[in-house]
Amino acid sequence: MQASAVRRVRSVEPSVPLVDQVPTVDGSEWAAVASDAGAVNVIRVFRFAVGHHLSAESASLTAVGDLGRVCALLGRGLRGLFHPAGGRDLAWDARRVLELAPLVSLVESSARRAVVEKALVDFERVALPRLDQLRAQLIHNDVSFGNVLFDDEHRVSAVLDFGDLIHAPLICDLVAPAEHLLQRPDGLRALGTLVDSYRVVTPLEDEEVELLPVLLRARWAALALISLWRLERSPGMAEYVSRWQAGVWEMFERVDRLGERPWCQQVLRAVGAASGSGTPRRVSTASLAVARQRVFGPALSPLFYRSPLWLVRGEGSVVFDVDGRPYLDCYNNVPVVGHGHPQVVAAIARQARLLNTNVRYLHELPLELADRLVESMPSGLDQVLFANSGSEVNDLAWRMARSYTGSDGAVVTRDAYHGATFATAALSPEEWRGEAKFEHVVRIEPPDGYYGAHRREQVGWALRYAAEIDRAVDELGVRGQAPGALFVDTGWSSEGILAPPPEYLVELCRRWQEAGGLVVADEVQMGFGRSGSGLWGFQVHGIVPDLVTMGKPMGNGHPVAALVARRDIVERFSENGRWFSTFGGNPVAAAAALSVLDVIERQELVAHAGAMAQRLRVGLERLVGRHSKIGDLRQIGLLVGVELVEDRTTRAPFAAADVVEGMRGRGVLIGSTGPRGNVLKIRPPLVIKEEEVDQLVEALDATLTSLG
Ligand code: PMP
């Protein structure tokens, strides 16, 4: 088995430095020689390997990392090999460590006996039930510091000793190189380096990494017990054998001092395990908030919640805080396909491993993405430019519209938000403070049929709002401006989330376009399926914009944004200007966005969002009957606004903040919006499940009940 393993690794992973073997005179890999006592000894001869030993305690991190890399390469070299001897009995078989339990009596100190016993009990409880579910193969099983040589650059120059080969879970192969690392002062960092380097070659599964702490303690138990047993049987080997134990007791004592759970979390965090993101931690939430204030200063938007949330992990519609508490995320519209979607994450990682450059080199991914976006648009919108944020593409749309119309005149709704650049901040009255006034920007009333000048009870209310655009055109004229660009967030998310009937936007855009202006559909909020009936919000309203901007959900969290525009607009712009963004449309961003589109398609998320939106509607309407604080419900698919009032007759606003806090206390994240801060903003990922929709509704029911 050893010979075939070496042969296999040599052919499959030739970069692994193995020791050269000298064949016997008749060309075989070993010779069998009878001893005087009548036993048969197998003899093999190797050439000297060049290099020196490093100890786990003093090896550089470079050496530790290279050991992890070589360990993974060995595993990769062996993974296709079958050998019946792989099933043999071996004391170092990690799965059989419990069979060593009778040796515990050899441990003299009762305190030490207790920690070994605890390690075995935990192994039995935590690891044993799960080991059989992990991928297994032939593994080297002893890629420890004692079995490798390093060159002067601290790279592995030789792997020795295939004597512990066994068929076992792949993750067990990482235990031998890791076994003594935690003796080091920088032990956690060294362990992280080892595992990270391993992962570069062979990605590890969460279930595998999560077992590392318990496997490590079991290995220490095995080291101590086997060494005591050997000492008893062959005192002549005392020096060699007792080396195995060196450091083991000290590491056990550290676990004991810290407590098993906190120690385990510490190790899990060091190796980047999904569940390692909980306590203990060196800093508190409060001290992190203080640091935020100190280093980010007063200009940054404030934290959410009176007692801020420290989030560390997400999966689907759920995010977890630093203490491991789950929250249903009904606020963040970026992760449309769910937090940490494995397909998106894999696409990003795969491309990041291959190459990341910019669009001044040819690459197929940004082109494929551009084609996919164009396919989803009305005909005529066939030019695509990439950037990294919604603000940037709105800025670019603004530049395009100005060059096309020759005008600076912009129209936005009263509390619109379109970005954070110098130009788009001027188009974002929601963020204007004090006396901010921009001569080139005219504001129109948003189509608010509940609070605004025209109410839903009035016939033709929406068209009255649409007619506002004529006043805006006149006002621009008075200021000496022709119609330039009208920016519309197709969900009016900063206006309290509005859902006017289609005739509103159709009429508004008709009048504006006839007056010579361009329409920019800002799909940063609504894009990528949020409406539950199509990929883009403008489709719900039945308009054909001149330019479309998108960002936020486009990469499910990876920064990527795009502008889609008519060719004549882009051509006009290019007469006097050019566009380039270093990161815009890079292959990694394109891979992210393409996989988001794939997931939306394959998981049929638009239809799913539509169905979940319907379920949410039904649930919320039930609450309207139960809670007089709900004044109005507005919804476009999975963008939902719940308008809160003190009193349905006066429609006096009821601040959303207490409800948002109450929902957090019940494990659900939502936000607030609207000029009066009284609208609950609900935007769950499109992958939200039925039971999660119900959880949201129940939490809102309970919160409103508690607020009386
Ligand atoms: N447009 C709209 C409608 C938005 O909601 C936002 C972000 N809240 C932006 C543009 C700006 O996007 P970003 O923050 O990615 O620059």
Side-chain angles (χ1 to χ4, degrees), residues 333 388-392 394 417-420 488-490 493-494 522-525 549 551-552 561 683:
N333 60 340
N388 317 287
S389 67
S391 302
E392 250 182 305
N394 277 338
Y417 184 83
H418 295 291
V488 204
D489 164 3
T490 49
S493 50
S494 58
D522 180 338
E523 292 286 340
V524 171
Q525 290 282 342
T549 57
K552 276 188 192 269
R683 306 174 293 195

Side-chain angles (χ1 to χ4, degrees), residues 316-317 329-330 332 335-339 530 638 683-688:
S317 304
D329 184 0
C330 296
N332 292 288
V336 255
V337 299
H339 289 277
R530 184 150 297 278
L638 285 178
R683 306 174 293 195
L686 308 190
V687 291
I688 190 169

Side-chain angles (χ1 to χ4, degrees), residues 12 32 70 87 100 131 200 211 248 295 303 416 431 434 462 483 655:
V12 178
V70 167
L100 302 174
L131 279 172
V200 170
L211 288 188
V248 159
V295 71
L303 286 162
E431 295 289 311

Side-chain angles (χ1 to χ4, degrees), residues 7 10 34 107 109 143 149 171 187 216 273 362 380 409 461 490 516-517 626 631 702 704 706:
R7 241 181 284 127
R10 238 189 248 298
V107 182
S109 130
V143 199
L149 298 176
I171 192 65
L216 264 182
L362 280 174
W461 68 276
T490 49
R626 291 168 47 78
L704 290 173
S706 77

